[in-house]
Amino acid sequence: MRVTFRTAYGDIEHVNTAADQVARARQQVESGKRIGVPSDDPAGMQRAVEGRAEIAGIDIYARTADSAAAKLATLDTVLSDVIDKITQATVTASSVRGSTATQQGRDAAALTLEGIRDALVADLNTSFRGAYVFGGTKSQTAPYAKVGASWTYQGNNTPASVDVGPGQTVAVALDGQAIAQGGDSTNLLNELESLIAATRAGDQTGIANGLAALDRAFARATRGQSQIGVDEQSMAERQSQLTTQRLAAVARVAKDEDANLVDAISEMNRAEVAYRAALGAVGTASRQSLMDYLQ
Amino acid sequence: MPGLFSSLSMASHALDAQRAGLDVAGQNIANLNTPGYARRRLSLAEVVDGTGGVEVRGTQALRDFYLDSRVRQALPDEERESAIVDLLSGVETAIGAPGQAIDGKLAGLFDAFSALALDPTSAVARDSVVLQGTQVAASFREMAVKLADSRRVADNSVRGAVDQANTLVRQIAELNGAIATASGVDVSALKDRQLTAVEELSRLTSVAVLSRADGGVDVTIPTGQALVIGASAYGIGVTTGTDGLTHLSVGGTDVTTSLTGGRIGGFLHARDTLVPDYQSRLDTLAYTVAQQVNTLHQSGYDATGAAGGAFFTPPAAVAGAAAAMQVTAALQGSSQLVAASGTGAPGDNTIARALANLRDAKVLGGGTATMAESWAQLAYKVGSDAESAERLRQSRHDVTSEVERLRDQMSGVSLDEEAASMLKFQRAYEANAKFFSTIDGLLDTLLNLVRA
């Protein structure tokens, strides 16, 4: 084979190739990323984009689940207080049943019941970050207000829910009427008003009716709190699932996107050795010629 | 038997011949780096008049026309892919890293709708939805501009390459004229230039070359239209079409779709096939995003209880949807117009939830892909096209290099060979000079005898 001048020096192209490989390997080591542009690994790029979208979706669900858990905790606390207040009202009203109660005792009990009524109004009108949580989706109106002589529900019967997963929802604003009234003809607050009046008057039938209404309200509040407890438990499990899903998704994306630094550094070293070898080969070739031996 | 004067004449011619050999070696060395130069070989022959001397028959350029044509065939393939790689590198940069481009902005919008679903009466959440929507629209417009720029760059590159091609076409025609009228003068140097010009033209577009009896070449494009016939250059005509793009013609025939090889072919392929495909995919995505969001948004109620309007300015058609995408001016003016409620109740979040859930809805590709997946498919297509072009460029470069190496073995100059050649002719010159000196001495002796 004839080795021509161009052949001897044409190897500079291999030097360029080796230099390019060094630059690429160095870029991977410096950035820590395996994919700089889509052509580095088109299929990997596609998986990475889809993986990142999946992570973004998981993050949204996780944030929603966190917020829902906080709202559920608030609802749980409020319903606990409602149950306590109903229990107190039951105890107080029961204490003035029968003929032994004095007018003074009945008046004191009525005052206590008024305090309990006010506390229940406050509970049912609880808001979380400016939104009422017992008014259904009418979150900007206090659920219970006195209209004329009676307490009237101002909210609606549509609980507000949020999504914590594909097809998985949880209610974070409840239908207050379902708890305060249920199937009764009037709500708990009006029942309390009647009970207060019956207590003052020593109306045993009225007190008995009021106590029965309190029992039904207690049952509704307890059922409501149980549901909240189930939802809270479900949220805790969901948060745990989302954490696990996120870790798995991040690992998948990292596999496509991130450089294996051990491999990348090894590749960079290999490319640098190849580059030096290419430089050496061209340098050696350029030094050897018959011209050097002519006098 | 020749006399002494005849011997002296023979030695003189031999000295000329050896010096010519040294000249040829010098010419070869001088053109070590000259593109298209084929090494020359001195043709010597014994004179046939019985005097036994040597004569220079001329110099010969060592060429293999088969390998020359192989190079001309290989170059357009390599250069076509090289042009595609060059152009797609810009598109690839526009695609960006995962999560950093349109996919990231879409995730931000769905995130904002989700935050609004959590707190549908929050003014901050509403502002965030409008802001994220604005960013989604801006990222679509930016990508549309970048793709349009890429197409424009390809178009300008076509014009630039055609200018170069026409210069080369004129050069080849002029060289044809010079070769045809050389009348016996050595035209090897002109042919070297001719070959270089044809090869440079092959880098720009595929050509067919036909040798002429007068030493020139006729050049046509693969569909037969002539670029050069003898000393006449026809060139490639350039016009701007109604689409604002460059259209090419040869001899009055539109050849825009016929020029598929070389850099011109590569740029045309990128301009007319690859980038429009990306634009179409981007427009489809933008149109779907706008349509899906608008449909849900218009089914809801805003913070004032009024029926929701369009979220994005409704696109007139799929084509151009990305470039025209923007959040409506009304929404940009007041985030209270964001429709989160499905009933008008301020705490109702059904529309905000439905909008957030669009993230997972398979609304593209005939119900097979989400919006993020559609973007991923676009990124894959761009990456795949660029990778494929680079792989083809590399393999075709290997072919070109191999053919050029084979040709170089025939036509290239070897420094060692020329050094040996110099030595050979130098020694021959010295020997002939000695012979000349000896004959001269004999003549001197003879003349002295006559004088004595």
Side-chain angles (χ1 to χ4, degrees):
Chain A
M1 182 181 109
R2 293 180 67 244
V3 178
T4 65
F5 184 75
R6 208 170 294 149
T7 307
Y9 284 86
D11 285 343
I12 196 73
E13 184 190 317
H14 298 137
V15 174
N16 287 336
T17 305
D20 181 56
Q21 285 171 349
V22 171
R24 281 172 183 269
R26 195 170 287 163
Q27 190 182 18
Q28 278 202 5
V29 172
E30 285 171 1
S31 68
K33 296 289 177 193
R34 199 172 67 82
I35 301 175
V37 289
S39 60
D40 287 342
D41 180 0
M45 176 78 177
Q46 184 178 12
R47 287 195 301 270
V49 170
E50 290 173 358
R52 277 186 174 267
E54 183 188 351
I55 291 170
I58 291 170
D59 286 346
I60 290 171
Y61 285 137
R63 213 162 25 251
T64 304
D66 288 346
S67 178
K71 284 191 176 180
L72 289 174
T74 302
L75 288 169
D76 194 3
T77 304
V78 172
L79 284 176
S80 284
D81 197 56
V82 167
I83 290 165
D84 284 349
K85 292 292 180 292
I86 291 172
T87 305
Q88 280 177 33
T90 303
V91 170
T92 304
S94 297
S95 69
V96 294
R97 286 188 79 177
S99 56
T100 56
T102 63
Q103 185 59 44
Q104 196 179 1
R106 286 197 297 271
D107 288 345
L111 279 175
T112 303
L113 287 172
E114 283 177 354
I116 290 170
R117 177 205 62 203
D118 292 345
L120 281 169
V121 169
D123 280 345
L124 292 171
N125 286 342
T126 297
S127 66
F128 185 92
R129 292 182 188 155
Y132 293 102
V133 293
F134 286 106
T137 57
K138 284 185 77 174
S139 61
Q140 298 303 291
T141 308
Y144 279 94
K146 202 150 193 187
V147 178
S150 69
W151 293 97
T152 307
Y153 183 57
Q154 307 289 311
N156 61 26
N157 304 120
T158 311
S161 300
V162 291
D163 297 293
V164 292
Q168 288 180 274
T169 61
V170 62
V172 291
L174 304 181
D175 169 12
Q177 196 171 31
I179 293 166
Q181 186 170 341
D184 288 355
S185 58
T186 187
N187 62 54
L188 172 63
L189 299 174
N190 287 326
E191 293 284 7
L192 270 173
E193 294 289 2
S194 301
L195 181 60
I196 290 164
T199 300
R200 279 210 175 90
D203 174 2
Q204 294 303 317
T205 306
I207 292 171
N209 288 340
L211 282 170
L214 285 175
D215 283 348
R216 290 193 298 276
F218 180 86
R220 289 194 301 271
T222 307
R223 232 180 359 257
Q225 194 190 25
S226 297
Q227 181 58 51
I228 295 295
V230 169
D231 287 347
E232 280 186 293
Q233 176 64 31
S234 158
M235 267 319 86
E237 288 168 3
R238 184 68 190 137
Q239 284 169 310
S240 171
Q241 283 172 2
L242 288 168
T243 304
T244 308
Q245 283 177 13
R246 191 179 198 283
L247 285 172
V250 166
R252 277 199 304 276
V253 169
K255 199 173 168 187
D256 284 319
E257 238 182 45
D258 296 346
N260 178 330
L261 280 181
V262 174
D263 286 350
I265 290 169
S266 168
E267 174 62 22
M268 187 176 75
N269 289 337
R270 192 200 63 73
E272 282 178 349
V273 169
Y275 180 49
R276 280 197 296 273
L279 283 174
V282 170
T284 306
S286 67
R287 281 200 301 273
Q288 292 174 343
S289 165
L290 181 58
M291 287 289 179
D292 301 324
Y293 299 92
L294 295 182
Q295 297 300 312
Chain B
M1 175 116 183
L4 284 176
F5 284 108
S6 177
S7 296
L8 204 57
S9 174
M10 180 180 69
S12 171
H13 282 115
L15 284 171
D16 285 343
Q18 307 316 320
R19 190 183 51 76
L22 279 168
D23 284 345
V24 169
Q27 183 187 359
N28 285 340
I29 292 169
N31 286 288
L32 276 174
N33 286 318
T34 306
Y37 179 78
R39 70 184 164 114
R40 305 290 198 265
R41 188 170 61 191
L42 184 68
S43 179
L44 296 176
E46 182 185 356
V47 292
V48 292
D49 60 359
T51 57
V54 64
E55 65 176 350
V56 176
R57 301 289 301 277
T59 56
Q60 181 188 359
L62 295 177
R63 288 207 173 282
D64 184 320
F65 292 101
Y66 169 69
L67 290 173
D68 284 342
S69 73
R70 286 281 309 275
V71 170
R72 274 200 304 275
Q73 287 164 6
L75 280 172
D77 292 344
E78 179 189 344
E79 291 298 331
R80 171 194 155 90
E81 302 306 329
S82 179
I84 293 171
V85 168
D86 290 349
L87 196 89
L88 290 190
S89 66
V91 180
E92 282 202 278
T93 309
I95 292 287
Q100 305 294 312
I102 286 174
D103 55 335
K105 303 299 179 195
L106 281 172
L109 177 62
F110 295 132
D111 198 2
F113 277 128
S114 183
L116 181 63
L118 273 174
D119 198 353
T121 56
S122 164
V124 174
R126 286 171 178 279
D127 288 347
S128 176
V129 163
V130 173
L131 181 67
Q132 293 296 337
T134 307
Q135 290 196 4
V136 165
S139 64
F140 269 108
R141 290 199 305 272
E142 186 184 342
M143 190 66 200
V145 166
K146 284 178 178 172
L147 288 178
D149 282 349
S150 294
R151 210 167 173 213
R152 203 159 27 249
V153 166
D155 191 57
N156 289 339
S157 301
V158 168
R159 279 183 182 263
V162 167
D163 280 349
Q164 280 180 280
N166 285 338
T167 303
L168 289 165
V169 163
R170 284 192 296 274
Q171 199 179 328
I172 293 166
E174 285 166 12
L175 286 165
N176 277 349
I179 290 168
T181 55
S183 60
V185 177
D186 183 10
V187 292
S188 296
L190 293 175
K191 286 203 162 189
D192 284 347
R193 288 189 192 185
Q194 182 193 60
L195 181 90
T196 306
V198 171
E199 281 186 6
E200 285 303 310
L201 184 60
S202 300
R203 290 180 188 278
L204 298 171
T205 185
S206 294
V207 290
V209 177
L210 191 67
S211 295
R212 296 170 62 87
D214 60 9
V217 288
D218 291 338
V219 181
T220 63
I221 61 171
T223 46
Q225 285 83 1
L227 296 176
V228 180
I229 296 180
S232 302
Y234 298 98
I236 303 170
V238 174
T239 53
T240 302
T242 51
D243 52 4
L245 297 173
T246 302
H247 287 250
L248 308 178
S249 62
V250 177
T253 306
D254 192 315
V255 294
T256 312
T257 55
S258 307
L259 298 179
T260 55
R263 293 190 74 76
I264 292 173
F267 286 130
L268 285 172
H269 180 61
R271 186 195 76 174
D272 297 338
T273 304
L274 296 179
V275 178
D277 178 39
Y278 309 148
Q279 287 177 314
S280 168
R281 286 166 183 260
L282 184 73
D283 281 338
T284 302
L285 178 57
Y287 185 83
T288 306
V289 169
Q291 285 284 64
Q292 293 288 329
V293 170
N294 282 351
T295 301
L296 282 170
H297 197 261
Q298 286 170 315
S299 70
Y301 296 88
D302 64 23
T304 67
F311 186 89
F312 293 109
T313 303
V318 173
M325 195 172 193
Q326 57 181 356
V327 173
T328 60
L331 268 172
Q332 290 189 56
S334 171
S335 64
Q336 291 296 296
L337 300 180
V338 172
S341 170
T343 61
D348 185 283
N349 63 359
T350 47
I351 296 302
R353 282 169 56 201
L355 286 164
N357 288 337
L358 273 180
R359 180 189 59 243
D360 297 322
K362 294 195 179 292
V363 290
L364 282 140
T368 60
T370 64
M371 295 167 186
E373 285 167 350
S374 177
W375 173 255
Q377 285 166 0
L378 172 56
Y380 172 81
K381 183 75 170 66
V382 172
S384 172
D385 287 342
E387 186 202 31
S388 163
E390 173 56 27
R391 211 172 35 238
L392 280 172
R393 188 200 66 77
Q394 189 57 52
S395 70
R396 284 165 180 180
H397 174 73
D398 290 345
V399 171
T400 309
S401 296
E402 181 58 20
V403 178
E404 283 184 332
R405 193 185 63 76
L406 288 171
R407 183 175 69 171
D408 197 49
Q409 281 190 30
M410 160 67 78
S411 305
V413 177
S414 162
L415 208 50
D416 291 339
E417 277 182 3
E418 299 311 323
S421 179
M422 278 167 58
L423 196 61
K424 183 175 73 177
F425 286 112
Q426 183 188 2
R427 294 294 179 226
Y429 190 92
E430 285 169 1
N432 280 294
K434 185 73 179 169
F435 175 69
F436 187 93
S437 174
T438 303
I439 299 299
D440 186 45
L442 288 176
L443 273 171
D444 202 32
T445 304
L446 189 62
L447 286 173
N448 282 338
L449 280 173
V450 172
R451 275 198 291 271

